[in-house]
Amino acid sequence: MHRKVPVNSFLLGGNERKYLTECVDTGWISGEGPFIEKFETSFSKFIGRRFATTVANGSAALDIAIQAVGISPGDEVIMPTFTIISPALSVVRVGGVPVLVDSDSRSYNMNVDEIERKITNKTKAIIMVHIYGLPVEVDKILALAEKYQLKVIEDAAEMHAQTYKGKMCGTFGHVSIFSFYANKLITSGEGGMVLTDDPEIDKTCRRLKNLAFHPDKPRFVHEEIGYNYRMTNMQAALGLAQLEQVETFLQRKRGMGKYYNTALQFLVPHGYQLPLPANADAENIYWVYPLVAPTEEEKNRAVDYLAKRGIGTRPFFWCMHEQPLFINMNLFAGESYPESEKLARRGFYIPSGVALAEEDLETVVKTLRDIYE
Ligand SMILES: *Cc1c(COP(=O)(O)O)cnc(C)c1O
């Protein structure tokens, strides 16, 4: 019997231990300490954006990014229905209204051609979310934002080291965010970053993440609703050590994606869809390796078969317009997004963590072969 193959795995083989030991030895363990600034500076340089602020996680990053661009009660914000719940939660929390678009059936990203007809006089912003490994059609979104004077928030949580037309993801829009959750390309355990080129947005984000302590007011006198969304120095230490290895991780992900693309071709005649190796704007970074089964039943059969043999999978995102939370809030009544609904029901991703060995990938392929050949 082969060993278990987890759906996600990470590597902590660089300076992680050394930097964490430094935190313990120096006593810098809270939301203050030298690694925070080091991580912010290195990350902003890596992405190529003027300002970067660490936060507790990617969802927290979205919360303050949304507030920093001025989304307020009644404002409509356009976003994909097929994504994690975080962007919709951030909008709803400030009293805004998420407005959804369907997905492109091949890239899994938001179908940007649907955006324009969703724009009303209440539309304030667009959240562009890059899904699974290929970038969204950024230029079309930026052109619409320009035409209708909208704010743009780029959710690049899954896109560390990906580019769009040669330019780094995370450099687009008024503000962009990343996550460093344990399944992201680089991790700080939990963690996130907000980036911008606008000094005012940066200042607001730094205030909001720190209980909105005001730099020009006496300490403990507040004017705004802030959060404690600070990242700890220990998380920043991890994040910095991970960032030093990002190119290696990226190559490993790409290597795995290419291996699976060749080795899993036998699934195609069975009605499966494999991820696109590239689109017009970028090569896939395979943050995860997504499969779309021909039917929901077939997906369940494959996932169960793999699970019984110790191989982890994850289902795709569940659509925003089908979330009980939002249905109970009377949002999205009667709306349907067929491509996203199909993906949510038929899609799953297979192990592709950076710590996997060649043998693990072979096990995954062989087990899928056992089902179909
Ligand atoms: C992971 C993720 C987030 C949220 O990040 P957390 O750090 O888990 O809060 C937001 N958006 C997308 C697209 C993600 O994949």
Side-chain angles (χ1 to χ4, degrees):
M1 187 58 185
H2 60 80
R3 63 174 180 178
K4 287 195 171 190
V5 189
V7 68
N8 174 50
S9 55
F10 44 80
L11 285 169
L12 304 175
N15 284 322
E16 288 86 349
R17 187 183 301 271
K18 177 169 168 243
Y19 293 169
L20 279 173
T21 304
E22 231 173 284
C23 297
V24 174
D25 288 346
T26 58
W28 287 113
I29 57 171
S30 74
E32 270 181 275
F35 281 116
I36 293 168
E37 201 188 316
K38 274 187 205 162
F39 186 33
E40 288 172 347
T41 308
S42 305
F43 199 77
S44 78
K45 219 177 272 168
F46 172 65
I47 297 299
R49 211 155 208 190
R50 271 180 82 191
F51 305 104
T53 308
T54 49
V55 285
N57 54 66
S59 307
L62 282 164
D63 279 348
I64 61 174
I66 291 283
Q67 229 167 302
V69 299
I71 306 300
S72 43
D75 289 344
E76 294 179 359
V77 180
I78 297 174
M79 66 182 73
T81 187
F82 182 72
T83 182
I84 194 163
I85 199 163
S86 310
L89 284 182
S90 299
V91 168
V92 163
R93 276 209 187 90
V94 296
V97 182
V99 172
L100 306 175
V101 296
D102 204 354
S103 310
D104 177 89
S105 62
R106 284 308 275 119
S107 72
Y108 315 138
N109 282 322
M110 62 201 295
N111 184 347
V112 294
D113 297 329
E114 288 184 16
I115 293 176
E116 191 158 19
R117 62 184 170 79
K118 295 280 181 148
I119 296 175
T120 71
N121 56 10
K122 289 188 186 153
T123 308
K124 186 75 182 270
I126 302 171
I127 304 182
M128 58 161 109
V129 190
H130 310 285
I131 307 278
Y132 295 159
L134 283 169
V136 174
E137 289 175 274
V138 175
D139 283 348
K140 288 190 185 170
I141 294 181
L142 295 181
L144 285 173
E146 178 81 29
K147 183 170 167 192
Y148 295 96
Q149 291 298 298
L150 306 175
K151 302 289 183 192
V152 176
I153 297 121
E154 183 187 9
D155 181 346
E158 306 176 357
M159 285 299 114
H160 316 74
Q162 179 56 295
T163 56
Y164 167 82
K165 293 189 174 161
K167 210 172 161 238
M168 270 292 198
C169 289
T171 57
F172 302 107
H174 298 87
V175 60
S176 55
I177 72 100
F178 284 87
S179 164
F180 307 113
Y181 180 61
N183 69 355
K184 301 303 201 284
L185 188 68
I186 64 168
T187 181
S188 57
E190 301 281 355
M193 194 82 80
V194 186
L195 295 102
T196 182
D197 294 318
D198 180 335
E200 283 312 310
I201 292 180
D202 180 60
K203 254 191 247 165
T204 306
C205 290
R206 286 177 181 276
R207 228 172 35 242
L208 289 175
K209 78 164 183 187
N210 190 23
L211 293 173
F213 277 108
H214 204 287
D216 308 325
K217 295 269 167 200
R219 186 93 175 156
F220 303 115
V221 176
H222 300 262
E223 292 185 329
E224 286 169 292
I225 301 179
Y227 310 88
N228 179 353
Y229 278 168
R230 299 186 297 261
M231 176 184 269
T232 67
N233 193 54
M234 297 182 287
Q235 290 167 311
L238 266 180
L240 182 67
Q242 289 270 295
L243 182 57
E244 292 167 353
Q245 305 163 78
V246 66
E247 289 305 329
T248 315
F249 296 161
L250 180 66
Q251 277 171 25
R252 290 188 73 100
K253 284 274 190 196
R254 283 212 157 117
M256 278 179 230
K258 284 181 183 152
Y259 170 79
Y260 278 144
N261 278 346
T262 308
L264 295 177
Q265 279 303 319
F266 69 89
L267 288 173
V268 176
H270 293 280
Y272 272 82
Q273 179 166 284
L274 306 186
L276 286 176
N279 62 12
D281 308 313
E283 296 206 9
N284 207 326
I285 57 164
Y286 305 101
W287 169 62
V288 293
Y289 194 88
L291 292 175
V292 181
T295 61
E296 190 174 4
E297 294 68 37
E298 212 39 51
K299 177 201 79 176
N300 291 336
R301 190 165 84 93
V303 163
D304 290 347
Y305 190 93
L306 292 165
K308 286 205 183 86
R309 284 149 190 86
I311 296 170
T313 60
R314 274 279 183 295
F316 274 17
F317 295 123
W318 194 247
C319 299
M320 292 309 106
H321 68 284
E322 297 192 282
Q323 296 289 348
L325 165 69
F326 297 135
I327 292 169
N328 291 337
M329 292 170 72
N330 287 321
L331 284 168
F332 319 131
E335 293 179 24
S336 115
Y337 301 93
E339 290 303 337
S340 302
E341 289 165 22
K342 220 184 310 182
L343 293 174
R345 283 162 178 77
R346 299 185 194 171
F348 63 103
Y349 52 90
I350 56 176
S352 62
V354 290
L356 294 185
E358 217 171 290
E359 163 200 348
D360 298 318
L361 302 185
E362 286 165 6
T363 300
V364 176
V365 172
K366 189 188 162 301
T367 312
L368 280 165
R369 244 183 217 289
D370 291 343
I371 309 178
Y372 290 103
E373 311 234 294

